[in-house]
Amino acid sequence: YSHHSIQTSMCPIRFSKDPEYHRSIVTVKVLFCSIIYLKLSKSSLLSAFISKLEKQVKRTADVSDAVTPEKEQAAQKLSSLLGHAVEVVPAAEADNFVKDKTAAAPLLKPFTPDHIVYCGPYPLFVENIDEAKNALDAFMTEHDKEPRLILVQGVGAFIMEDDKGKAAKAQLLVKDAIKLAVYAESFGGPLQMTDEITYFITHWEAEAYRSKK
């Protein structure tokens, strides 16, 4: 009767007089239960945390497609004036950030290094589309990189980029920045990166290499 087994509906359970055998079985069961408990607890805590945050949100960002013939015409005009391919940022929420420069403030500085790499460190804000070339020239005297995001007052947001792949990445990051700016309204306002950190990231070799991809 050194050892025998009992077949259950779940699995066979083997019994042995060896104490080490029993200890190992108990250890495995305890570890298994602990893992399951931690996973359930984490899931429960995370759900509760997200639920609490959602209740604090005053409004959500509307990034639905809002490309109009007027915006398409504006993109073509900008392309002609600036000498680069220009496309509309297709997000309805963008209109709320081009009412004037004050409204645009949350998007005038980057939120993360990714926004710097794929959208450029700073966008160009243009009050009058006819003055876009002069505005770009003035921008370039202050900054050493061309902007990818252009905000035209009362018109819309645009991406200036000849490379289609880079333009697509910029579009994603601009929409992300818009979401951050909107949700930040419910939690004390946006907190962008400082000019010092932005300069460091812009001139860091690793990020410069990433931006070329």
Side-chain angles (χ1 to χ4, degrees):
Y1 119 77
S2 60
H3 62 21
H4 58 281
S5 64
I6 299 175
Q7 183 73 35
T8 70
S9 59
M10 295 287 291
C11 61
I13 302 175
R14 294 179 64 82
F15 289 88
S16 170
K17 289 183 177 181
D18 184 358
E20 291 299 321
Y21 174 84
H22 289 289
R23 274 196 290 271
S24 64
I25 290 295
V26 170
T27 301
V28 169
K29 285 183 176 180
V30 169
L31 285 173
F32 177 75
C33 290
S34 297
I35 290 169
I36 296 298
Y37 174 78
L38 284 171
K39 283 188 175 180
L40 289 173
S41 297
K42 276 178 145 184
S43 176
S44 178
L45 285 171
L46 183 59
S47 296
F49 177 70
I50 291 175
S51 177
K52 191 166 185 177
L53 283 179
E54 287 176 340
K55 290 176 182 177
Q56 301 298 316
V57 174
K58 296 173 184 175
R59 72 183 187 93
T60 57
D62 180 5
V63 290
S64 61
D65 195 331
V67 178
T68 63
E70 292 77 17
K71 289 179 181 178
E72 290 283 15
Q73 290 172 10
Q76 291 173 10
K77 186 170 186 176
L78 285 170
S79 180
S80 176
L81 290 169
L82 305 178
H84 292 287
V86 176
E87 56 187 54
V88 182
V89 174
E93 194 69 50
D95 291 344
N96 291 321
F97 292 96
V98 297
K99 293 175 180 177
D100 52 41
K101 199 163 186 178
T102 300
L107 300 182
L108 296 182
K109 289 189 177 183
F111 284 107
T112 70
D114 277 355
H115 291 101
I116 294 173
V117 171
Y118 298 114
C119 296
Y122 301 104
L124 171 65
F125 185 85
V126 179
E127 292 183 353
N128 185 334
I129 194 169
D130 293 321
E131 296 298 320
K133 182 64 171 70
N134 291 336
L136 179 60
D137 290 342
F139 181 94
M140 292 306 296
T141 61
E142 186 177 352
H143 306 284
D144 55 5
K145 291 190 73 172
E146 286 188 334
R148 280 208 178 116
L149 174 61
I150 300 176
L151 304 172
V152 182
Q153 184 168 306
V155 180
F158 304 86
I159 295 297
M160 182 178 73
E161 175 56 60
D162 296 323
D163 185 293
K164 286 287 186 184
K166 291 180 179 179
K169 289 177 182 176
Q171 289 278 20
L172 290 174
L173 270 295
V174 168
K175 284 186 177 181
D176 182 69
I178 289 172
K179 290 177 184 177
L180 284 171
V182 170
Y183 289 120
E185 294 172 5
S186 303
F187 302 95
L191 182 63
Q192 300 103 322
M193 298 178 70
T194 64
D195 291 333
E196 291 77 14
I197 294 176
T198 298
Y199 181 87
F200 172 78
I201 295 294
T202 303
H203 296 84
W204 188 22
E205 288 183 6
E207 296 294 14
Y209 171 78
R210 218 164 47 113
S211 67
K212 293 177 183 177
K213 288 190 172 184

